[in-house]
Amino acid sequence: MPISTILAGHSHIDTLVGNRIVTEFALRPVAGAEGVCALEGPKPRNEVFWERLILEAPGRNVGFAWNGNEHNGLYFFRPTPEFDFVSRHVPQLKEDAQIVPQAAIAARLRQHSLNQLETWLNRLREAGPKKLVQIG
């Protein structure tokens, strides 16, 4: 059966084919999903991985997961001094916390990961996939 859909990205995609340690790139079938493969390759995901996805993308459906745990990586441990920000989703602030702009948190996340996402997303679009979906 020809490959109609490629799934690629960070650890969330690895769960579809088993989180294996691999040294070579391969399109590995996703069990129970005819015509769907996941692109696996060495970690960490780098330019070579994304370039390989771009080569495989033309004419195919592409779903990709981009990171997903930056909030844990950046903010898992309580910072000193403790901070909080105003959110329309949470009606209260932590007492005695330093208030920082929500935009500063968003800027740090963008710098850490999201700026690269925009670069690869644009490159993937230019490659001509049939459909391109970010898995969130």
Side-chain angles (χ1 to χ4, degrees):
M1 161 126 257
I3 299 170
S4 61
T5 302
I6 298 173
L7 304 174
H10 295 99
S11 61
H12 292 76
I13 295 298
D14 292 339
T15 62
L16 296 173
V17 293
N19 192 14
R20 305 173 333 135
I21 297 173
V22 297
T23 58
E24 310 246 344
F25 294 103
L27 289 173
R28 185 164 174 194
V30 174
E34 194 171 309
V36 178
C37 288
L39 177 62
E40 61 181 2
K43 295 174 190 161
R45 302 299 193 223
N46 58 24
E47 287 183 21
V48 178
F49 178 86
W50 297 106
E51 292 289 351
R52 176 62 184 263
L53 178 59
I54 287 167
L55 289 174
E56 300 286 355
R60 292 175 164 154
N61 299 314
V62 175
F64 71 98
W66 186 266
N67 284 333
N69 281 311
E70 295 84 354
H71 58 288
N72 285 324
L74 295 172
Y75 299 111
F76 185 75
F77 295 102
R78 182 180 295 175
T80 304
E82 189 173 358
F83 72 90
D84 200 355
F85 58 90
V86 177
S87 168
R88 68 177 185 264
H89 303 289
V90 180
Q92 68 228 18
L93 293 170
K94 292 180 181 180
E95 289 184 32
D96 300 324
Q98 177 183 355
I99 306 303
V100 299
Q102 187 173 4
I105 305 297
R108 184 161 183 216
L109 288 169
R110 267 193 309 279
Q111 179 184 21
H112 181 75
S113 172
L114 297 179
N115 289 339
Q116 292 177 24
L117 168 62
E118 184 177 9
T119 298
W120 292 113
L121 184 58
N122 289 335
R123 298 274 315 278
L124 275 166
R125 278 190 199 115
E126 291 168 5
K130 182 176 180 182
K131 190 172 196 176
L132 179 60
V133 176
Q134 181 180 357
I135 301 166

